[in-house]
Amino acid sequence: MAKGRLEGRRVLILGASVGIGKATAKAIAAEGARVALAARRGDVLADAVAEVGAGAVGIACDVADEADCERVVRETVDAFGGLDAVVYAPGITLFGEIADMDARAWRTTFDVNVVGATLVTRAAIRHLEASRGKVVYFSSVTIDDRPPRFAMAPYVASKHALEAVAQAWQGEHPNVSFSTSAIGDTQSEKAEVVEEHVLTDYVPRWGAAGLMPGRLVEAESGAEQVVNVLASRENVRRLTITPVAPREGEGEFG
């Protein structure tokens, strides 16, 4: 039986309980890696670990908590004896016009989308140096929009910052591969709990500005590309994943 492309790799996936994080954990495990799934909600995390199957471990972690960021790496290394890759999928979007966004909204967004990413990386970096490992941060295609999508300023700004953080880590640690995956709108738990006014007030404006693709990216498609990055012998700096045109019978969010 042929070995998977990631056979024996030791991978920590943050934000792994739902959506693209869970899909990525499943895809990485299917290629033979040993995976640690980390997320804030322990009950949902346990279900995700069960889906991934034998050999996977779950570690509760709030990426907005510095001690948790250090502990999740420590427990992963204790479980696997080292670390070959980190995938950072957590992301939060607070919708609203920029004039209405207070300090708490900005800090909450940056704590999850940027600060957590670099704190986890800081905790993992010596292990990744030892293995000449890889880091993948999930970014967003929204950073390429000009002007940014209406009512998404903190999110878009945080993803620009995340791209800069990845470049800074790469510059200071050239023996570790840092990649970003700028992915289009995906089917996720987050989309299911979006307030109704976002769909009625904001989505039409994004569509009118040509910023909506007509369909969502499947989480499994994004996960597949992360596997390709981890399996590559080269350093993939940035991926951009956008959906193809809607299939027949599909509408927006089809």
Side-chain angles (χ1 to χ4, degrees):
M1 183 177 178
K3 290 185 177 181
R5 290 185 295 160
L6 303 178
E7 191 73 29
R9 302 273 188 94
R10 301 155 297 182
V11 185
L12 168 62
I13 305 105
L14 288 301
S17 62
V18 297
I20 196 165
K22 182 171 73 172
T24 301
K26 292 168 72 174
I28 290 172
E31 289 288 348
R34 301 160 69 188
V35 297
L37 287 73
R40 184 171 52 86
R41 293 179 296 162
D43 55 341
V44 181
L45 177 61
D47 291 340
V49 171
E51 284 189 46
V52 172
V57 299
I59 305 172
C61 174
D62 181 352
V63 297
D65 184 295
E66 184 171 0
D68 265 15
C69 291
E70 295 172 355
R71 179 181 54 78
V72 73
V73 172
R74 184 171 62 251
E75 292 188 11
T76 300
V77 171
D78 288 346
F80 296 156
L83 187 63
D84 297 297
V86 172
V87 178
Y88 193 87
I92 186 171
T93 310
L94 299 178
F95 297 98
E97 296 185 39
I98 191 170
D100 297 327
M101 288 293 173
D102 59 14
R104 181 177 177 277
W106 285 94
R107 289 175 182 140
T108 298
T109 303
F110 270 73
D111 279 349
V112 173
N113 295 3
V114 185
V115 179
T118 201
L119 290 177
V120 168
T121 306
R122 185 182 70 173
I125 194 63
R126 66 183 178 89
H127 304 290
L128 295 170
E129 287 276 10
S131 64
R132 297 184 71 90
K134 293 176 178 282
V135 179
V136 180
Y137 301 129
F138 274 106
S139 183
S140 172
V141 297
T142 60
I143 65 174
D144 297 321
D145 295 340
R146 297 290 185 277
R149 290 191 191 185
F150 181 82
M152 287 185 64
Y155 176 82
V156 174
S158 73
K159 294 301 184 179
H160 276 288
L162 184 62
E163 295 277 348
V165 163
Q167 293 173 22
W169 276 108
Q170 188 68 80
E172 295 185 17
H173 295 272
N175 291 328
V176 178
S177 171
F178 289 87
S179 304
T180 58
S181 178
I183 191 164
D185 301 283
T186 60
Q187 290 279 9
S188 69
E189 182 189 63
K190 179 173 61 177
E192 294 171 4
V193 297
V194 164
E195 295 179 13
E196 184 64 27
H197 79 92
V198 173
L199 299 178
T200 58
D201 297 344
Y202 301 154
V203 170
R205 294 187 65 154
W206 303 336
L211 303 178
M212 295 299 293
R215 65 181 292 267
L216 301 176
V217 174
E218 296 175 357
E220 290 75 15
S221 297
E224 178 184 19
Q225 298 311 317
V226 172
V227 169
N228 290 337
V229 169
L230 297 184
S232 175
R233 291 178 295 178
E234 310 300 341
N235 182 358
V236 180
R237 290 296 178 91
R238 185 174 189 255
L239 289 172
T240 301
I241 304 169
T242 57
V244 297
R247 302 184 185 96
E248 185 176 353
E250 287 185 338
E252 195 169 318
F253 305 111

